[in-house]
């Protein structure tokens, strides 16, 4: 079972296959893994001891690694407590810089979560902006009904933007979009990101997970 894997010279951390969205571009639709790694579908959600043991083994075999990324085949913040405990273990047992790749919707499922808990553990966050407005966000990201039901159409989009504003106060924060939206929408995303003082990276949509970026 693959909890830690190497990608682009960094150590990626795969603690859950759960997610509150169903993005049209999700790489999980295109295969079981990235590059030549083993399947990223987890047989079970790993516990703390299992994660620590896997980290110790991985890092002893890959001592050149300088950066860790919470990403994997799911949204890491679905397991926010385990994410924090894992980050704390990594910080205590290594000098790795830690980045979180996230959809920014943690507070849709963990309503009282205080982002200040990331302070000192997460050095950088990359948030999926995905669209320039709520309507397109819902079409591209497709938040699941159980997390948005009964709320306004803007709910998830606004939550993600609010999360980005809050994270900007405590660590390096950036946005991404995947080029499944139009060039004009990408430009609108750029303007929105600029207005928030957050850099934007445009990612190419790939259907071949071996050339994923
Ligand atoms: S948020 Fe990430 S894991 Fe979840 S559906 Fe979108 S791309 Fe896939």
């Amino acid at each position: 079972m693959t909890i830690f894997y190497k990608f682009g010279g960094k150590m990626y951390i795969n603690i859950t296959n759960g997610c509150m969205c169903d993005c049209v571009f999700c790489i999980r639709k295109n295969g079981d893994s990235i590059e030549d790694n083993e399947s990223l579908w987890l047989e079970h959600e790993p516990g703390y001891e299992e994660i620590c043991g896997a980290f110790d083994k991985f890092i002893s075999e890959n001592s050149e690694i300088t950066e860790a990324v919470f990403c994997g085949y799911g949204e890491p913040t679905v397991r926010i407590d385990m994410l924090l405990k894992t980050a704390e273990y990594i910080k205590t047992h290594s000098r790795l810089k830690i980045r979180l790749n996230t959809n920014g919707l943690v507070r849709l499922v963990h309503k009282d979560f205080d982002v200040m808990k990331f302070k000192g553990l997460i050095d950088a966050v990359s948030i999926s902006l995905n669209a320039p407005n709520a309507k397109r966000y819902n079409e591209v990201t497709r938040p699941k009904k159980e997390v948005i039901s009964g709320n306004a159409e803007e709910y998830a989009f606004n939550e993600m933007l609010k999360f980005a504003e809050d994270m900007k106060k405590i660590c390096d924060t950036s946005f991404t979009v995947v080029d499944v939206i139009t060039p004009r929408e990408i430009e609108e995303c750029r303007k929105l990101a600029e207005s928030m003082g957050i850099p934007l990276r445009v990612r190419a949509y790939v259907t071949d997970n071996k050339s994923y970026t």
Side-chain angles (χ1 to χ4, degrees), residues 17-29 72-75 102-103 128 130 141:
N17 291 147
C19 188
M20 55 293 251
C21 296
D22 179 24
C23 300
V24 293
F25 55 78
C26 185
I27 54 163
R28 300 181 302 176
K29 298 178 200 301
Y73 249 36
E75 165 54 43
T102 179
N103 58 23
S128 307
N130 286 346
T141 304

Side-chain angles (χ1 to χ4, degrees), residues 10 13 21 24 33 62 68 70 74 79 110 119 122 128 135 139-140 149 159 175 188 194-195 200 205 207:
K10 301 182 176 74
I13 312 164
C21 296
V24 293
S33 190
N62 297 277
F70 282 95
R79 295 189 78 197
H110 302 286
K119 201 167 180 191
I122 300 297
S128 307
K135 181 172 182 294
E139 286 168 3
V140 172
S149 74
E159 270 301 317
F175 277 134
E188 288 169 14
E194 255 172 42
S195 73
L200 174 79
Y205 175 59
T207 51

Side-chain angles (χ1 to χ4, degrees), residues 10-212:
K10 301 182 176 74
M11 179 187 79
Y12 276 64
I13 312 164
N14 183 37
I15 56 170
T16 183
N17 291 147
C19 188
M20 55 293 251
C21 296
D22 179 24
C23 300
V24 293
F25 55 78
C26 185
I27 54 163
R28 300 181 302 176
K29 298 178 200 301
N30 304 330
D32 292 341
S33 190
I34 294 168
E35 290 189 333
D36 296 323
N37 288 294
E38 301 279 308
S39 173
L40 295 175
W41 293 114
L42 296 161
E43 290 151 23
H44 56 265
E45 295 210 317
Y48 183 62
E49 301 296 326
E50 194 174 6
I51 291 173
C52 296
F55 171 75
D56 292 343
K57 182 169 184 299
F58 184 92
I59 213 67
S60 70
E61 293 165 356
N62 297 277
S63 54
E64 78 287 0
I65 296 279
T66 57
E67 190 173 340
V69 185
F70 282 95
C71 184
Y73 249 36
E75 165 54 43
T77 63
V78 165
R79 295 189 78 197
I80 192 65
D81 291 341
M82 192 57 76
L83 188 164
L84 291 169
K85 278 168 73 175
T86 303
E88 201 170 349
Y89 186 85
I90 292 172
K91 281 288 179 201
T92 311
H93 292 85
S94 76
R95 294 186 171 184
L96 298 186
K97 199 176 157 209
I98 303 182
R99 187 177 87 208
L100 167 64
N101 287 0
T102 179
N103 58 23
L105 299 178
V106 60
R107 290 180 296 203
L108 289 191
V109 288
H110 302 286
K111 305 249 181 253
D112 299 326
F113 178 66
D114 178 2
V115 298
M116 289 309 284
K117 289 188 177 169
F118 284 137
K119 201 167 180 191
L121 293 178
I122 300 297
D123 301 292
V125 64
S126 173
I127 303 166
S128 307
L129 176 61
N130 286 346
N133 56 58
K135 181 172 182 294
R136 288 292 286 137
Y137 182 82
N138 290 339
E139 286 168 3
V140 172
T141 304
R142 302 189 296 196
K144 291 180 180 162
K145 281 204 175 60
E146 57 267 31
V147 294
I148 54 164
S149 74
N151 289 295
E153 185 185 74
E154 299 80 18
Y155 182 54
F157 185 65
N158 288 347
E159 270 301 317
M160 176 273 298
L161 293 179
K162 216 182 310 158
F163 177 80
E165 284 289 2
D166 290 343
M167 290 305 284
K168 204 177 80 169
K169 293 174 195 146
I170 58 170
C171 68
D172 282 350
T173 300
S174 56
F175 277 134
T176 60
V177 289
V178 179
D179 64 1
V180 291
I181 56 175
T182 66
R184 187 178 164 166
E185 287 171 331
I186 291 175
E187 211 31 56
E188 288 169 14
C189 286
R190 209 179 291 285
K191 285 189 184 135
L192 173 60
E194 255 172 42
S195 73
M196 295 175 69
I198 297 176
L200 174 79
R201 184 166 77 94
V202 180
R203 291 172 44 216
Y205 175 59
V206 289
T207 51
D208 170 10
N209 285 6
K210 291 201 183 301
S211 55
Y212 180 71

